[in-house]
Each structure stands twice: as structure tokens, then as C-alpha cells.
Amino acid sequence: MEWPPCAPCRKSPVTAQQAAAQCNSRSSDSQQQHRHFQSREGGGDAEISRGTERSKNSLRPPRMKRRLSRDREDSTSSCEGQTDSCKRVKQPEDSGDLLSNWARLPQEILLHIFQYLPLLDRAFASQVCRGWNQAFHMPELWRCFEFELNQPASSYLKATHPDLIKQIIKRHSNHLQYVSFKVDSSTESAEAACDILSQLVNCSLKTLGLISTARPSFMELPKSHFISALTVVFVNSKSLSSLKIDDTPVDDPSLKVLVANNSDTLKLLKMSSCPHVSPAGILCVADQCHGLRELALNYHLLSDELLLALSSEKHVHLEHLRIDVVSENPGQQFHTIKKSSWDAMVRHSPKFNLVMYFFLYEDEFGPFFRDEIPVTHLYFGRSVSKEVLGRVGMNCPRLVELVVCANGLRPLDEELIRIAERCQHLSAIGLGECEVSCSAFVEFVKMCGRRLSQLSIMEEVLIPDHKYSLDEIHWEVSKHLGRVWFPDMMPTW
């Protein structure tokens, strides 16, 4: 049996005798080494195993040796790479650097963030650093502001702090553009609002709203005090576009000041329950403010001349007209608006919404709904008779929404059917303290169909009959509506 050629024999050609001699010498060397290991004291099995392992490695082919050495090199290089990567990991910055980075945020980003924060949170954030304090006073954050002037002793609502009000007047009055005042029932809140208005001499407001959350406290102020404060805003604001002054003692001369300075920009005017304004005063506004698109007022200010002025060629198309018909005293008499005036209004603004709120007693509806009227949204806050609802069905073809809060004990079956026949645009209805038979109600829903997007009917309104019970009616109504419907337990309007 011949020995396999060793590594040196592969590199250079040798003779067979030389190869045999080399192999014999290696064999003798390994035998001597084996005897040496056995003769050593305390060598133990570990030395023998190591010697055996070395002898096995010496007998392995060279190709396997190169592979093992390559694996060792790869593992070594990977460990070195991991060590280098661990060294290259960035250490966390110092907390002071982080704070300095926050302080160096661009003003545009701070402005965007501050716009989403409540006022109190913005005030706390302004104490972080000088940059944030400067952002707190940026004009863009003070264009829109709502003064909440509730008295802590008489109201549970929150109130704007007096120190903040002083700071706004001192530093940001010229930045204010969209301002509203919310006052409670106390006279002190209304006086505080007037005091602020009288100091807005350097601002040019675009919108102004005076809102009474309870009873109209502005009406309890001296008229001259309120008018002088409001005139300051009218004179200094040359681009006022929206004005809400319901339940205030505004009068005709102050409206003339408003028109003289803001006739080109005024688009919205809400002034319901303003007893000191005459029909001539509101007519002056309509004649001069040709861009007026939304108007809300009481019925006593409505006249044929006002409707014709709003329908003139110079005037833009009206979008929204709200009329509050309120009875101050039982038995009050109301004037009548001609059908030709309403027709002129419809021809000029065919898509305008006419919203009417009625708070009358049953015997005060005489002049209403005798002729066709272009009302789109109709609300009866008090009891209304079957006769009036019958006239509504005959003379309100543009009706979109109808709410009847109360009626007598006589069923409204015929009236509802007539409304469904004549009012082809009706899409919302609410019935409160009324009576309707289940059969008539199902027929009404069937005639209106799926265009009824809102159907708010209290359960007490529906009277079971020979065709439907209360347990069956919701299935029938749901079938015609195309959605699940149940009567309401409480009114939702």
C-alpha cells in the first residue's frame, strides 16, 4: 500500500525514492512524539487529545486547511467590523443641545404648532425661551380672538383673564381681524365688552359678533354708551364683511355710520331683535350695501321696499334671508307682504333660502300663507292650527324643511298628505306634540320617498289604527326610506 502524496510533493516533482524517504521520516517522528507524550508526568488526557488533534490536522488535505483558514479570517474580519460599527455608534447628545435645537425651530413651524394649541397652553409655551415668546406674539396668532366675558360670580362658563385682555389691547389690537364677544346675563359683562370695543381704535375688523349666551344683557346698557363703543369699530374698520349684533340697542344713525365706512365690503348682517332700528334704517343698508348676501332681521323690519331693493340689478344674488316672526304681545297685528315683492325676489335670486321662525299664537297667523310665499325652511315654535298647516301645503312649493313643535288634539293626516303632494323639495320634517295616524304617516313617507333625509317624529305623535301598530310601523317606514328608522323619544331639533 502506497502513501498518498504530501503537500510538498504536489508543489514540485520529486522521485519516488525521495517521497518514500520523506514519508518514512515523518512516520518515525510521530512515533517518537507519541512515546514522548506517554512518558511525561501529569500530561493527562488533554495533552493526548491535543496531540491527536494535531496529528489529524496534519493528515487533512491541504484544500480543507485553506478553507478553515479562510473561515477564521472571515470570522476575525466580521468581529473587527462589528467592533468598528460599535465604535461608530453616535452617543446621545447632551440635554442642553436638545433644548438649543428646540429653541432654533423656524418661526414658520412654531406658528403652525401654536395655531393648534389653546390660548392657555400657548401662554405656558411662551415661557420656555425667548424664541417661543416671540412666536407667541406673532400677528398671525392674534387675527382671530373670542373674548369670553363671563362673570365668575354669576356664571359657570370660563372667562378671559383681565391681564390677557390688557395685553391684547396694548400689543395686538392692530392685529385683530375676526373678533367675537360672549357675555352672560350680567350687565357687567356687557359693559366690559363695550369698554374693549371703545379701545379698538387702531384695528380694522373684518368680522364682529356680539353674542349673549343668556338673556340679552346688551339691552340693559345705556343706549349712548353702547352706540359710542360700536361706532368706534364702524369708523375704524374699513373692510367689515360680517356683523352679528342680535339683541342689541343699535339704531338707525349707527347703521348709517356702518354703511358710510363699509358699504363695499359688508356681506353678512344679523340683527334680529333690535327694537331701535326702523324699516327705513335697514332699507338704507340694502340700498347702499350691494354685496350683501345674508340678512337676518325681525318681521317688523321686512317691507316690500326692502325686498325690491334686494332684488335690484345693482345688488348681488341674495343667498340667505332669515325672518323671525315674534309676538311681543298677545293679539299683535302683523302687516302683509305682497306676492309681487316675493316674486321679484325669486326672479333675482332663484336659489336663495328663506328661513322663517314663527313664535305666534294661533289667532295671530291671519296675514300669513294666504298667498304663495317662497319659504324654504319653516319652524313653528308654538302651537299652530290645522288650518295654517293646510295653507302651508297649498302655498309653500319651495319648502325643504318643516318643524312643528306643537298642535292641537286633531290629527294632521290630510295636512301631511297635502304637504307631500305640493312640496316636492321637502327633505326634512320634525313633529313634536301633534297627532298623526299610522296609516297617514306611512302614506306620507311613501309619497316623499327616499328624499326624506331627516325624519324626526316623536313616538307619542303616531296613533295606531286598523292597519299598523307601533311595533309594525317602523318596518314599513324603513322599507320606503331605504334605511332603518325608529320614532324618536326626544325631539332632536
Side-chain angles (χ1 to χ4, degrees), residues 172-173 205 245 272 357 389 408:
H172 303 292
S173 61
L205 299 183
I245 48 175
S272 298
Y357 286 81
L389 289 178

Side-chain angles (χ1 to χ4, degrees), residues 39-81:
S39 63
R40 288 182 58 183
E41 293 182 359
D45 296 335
E47 291 293 338
I48 296 174
S49 62
R50 282 197 295 270
T52 306
E53 184 67 25
R54 281 195 296 270
S55 63
K56 288 181 181 180
N57 290 335
S58 64
L59 296 177
R60 284 176 180 169
R63 186 177 300 172
M64 186 177 295
K65 291 182 179 181
R66 286 197 298 271
R67 187 181 302 162
L68 291 173
S69 63
R70 192 183 302 114
D71 293 341
R72 294 192 190 99
E73 292 176 359
D74 293 342
S75 62
T76 304
S77 61
S78 64
C79 293
E80 292 176 354

Side-chain angles (χ1 to χ4, degrees), residues 353-376:
N353 291 320
L354 175 58
V355 183
M356 299 189 73
Y357 286 81
F358 283 87
F359 297 90
L360 304 181
Y361 298 98
E362 289 188 6
D363 56 348
E364 296 175 340
F365 280 95
F368 299 102
F369 308 110
R370 295 292 182 181
D371 297 317
E372 188 172 297
I373 180 174
V375 61
T376 56

Side-chain angles (χ1 to χ4, degrees), residues 397-440:
R398 299 178 76 240
L399 191 62
V400 175
E401 183 174 2
L402 174 65
V403 174
V404 180
C405 293
N407 180 257
L409 300 178
R410 300 167 60 189
L412 301 177
D413 297 357
E414 297 178 0
E415 289 72 21
L416 277 184
I417 298 301
R418 185 179 294 116
I419 290 173
E421 290 175 351
R422 300 294 300 273
C423 304
Q424 296 295 321
H425 303 285
L426 186 68
S427 60
I429 186 170
L431 298 179
E433 298 178 9
C434 308
E435 286 189 0
V436 180
S437 67
C438 290
S439 299

